[in-house]
Amino acid sequence: MESKRQQKFAGVIQEDLAAIFQREGMNFLPNTLVTITKVRVTPDLALARVFLSFFNNANTQLALQTIKLHASEIRYKLGSRIKDQVRIIPQLEFFVDDTSDYVERMDKIFDKIHKEENPADSGQS
């Protein structure tokens, strides 16, 4: 369970990273929309785990590697935005948020189950 402090700090980071990616994301990944889906911060506020979603990009692992290569530059830009609000600029770890892929897979499974049940239901009537 995250404390209120962690949640508030994660919100600040998410907001500022979103602005950075919106303005300068094309420099890292042309023609790709990067969305920060969630940010989790350690209790000491020294590490932020940033979950990203990529739109209009076929290879999410390559996009993630590109972001990781630019992590220090992104952290510097984040630091210049939040330096007056925090004592320490957290290290950033980037991960792919595959929640939408998971939901899509589950929907397909449920559709398949539903289609398999329907013929049996109509045969019993």
Side-chain angles (χ1 to χ4, degrees):
M1 182 76 182
E2 287 185 329
S3 69
K4 290 280 186 195
R5 182 174 174 229
Q6 285 172 278
Q7 291 173 358
K8 184 176 179 183
F9 190 57
V12 168
I13 291 173
Q14 183 172 357
E15 207 173 287
D16 286 322
L17 281 177
I20 290 168
F21 279 112
Q22 184 178 15
R23 288 193 181 93
E24 303 171 32
M26 291 297 175
N27 298 340
F28 310 130
L29 296 166
N31 301 322
T32 301
L33 176 65
V34 180
T35 305
I36 291 87
T37 55
K38 87 187 123 173
V39 175
R40 297 286 179 248
V41 182
T42 56
D44 63 356
L45 308 180
L47 176 67
R49 292 180 179 95
V50 181
F51 293 85
L52 305 171
S53 181
F54 301 98
F55 296 99
N56 201 21
N57 190 314
N59 190 344
T60 57
Q61 290 305 317
L62 180 63
L64 181 65
Q65 286 303 109
T66 304
I67 295 296
K68 285 181 177 181
L69 286 174
H70 294 282
S72 60
E73 181 183 345
I74 295 167
R75 182 175 182 245
Y76 176 79
K77 290 177 182 188
L78 175 67
S80 64
R81 294 177 70 97
I82 66 171
K83 67 179 184 277
D84 296 332
Q85 302 172 42
V86 297
R87 285 184 291 168
I88 184 171
I89 307 304
Q91 291 293 325
L92 301 175
E93 285 185 356
F94 294 101
F95 301 93
V96 173
D97 184 3
D98 58 354
T99 305
S100 61
D101 295 337
Y102 177 77
V103 168
E104 192 174 312
R105 260 193 329 267
M106 294 305 290
D107 281 344
K108 287 180 183 177
I109 290 170
F110 288 134
D111 286 345
K112 184 178 177 185
I113 291 169
H114 183 70
K115 287 177 185 175
E116 289 174 359
E117 288 177 353
N118 278 348
D121 289 344
S122 62
Q124 292 176 357
S125 296

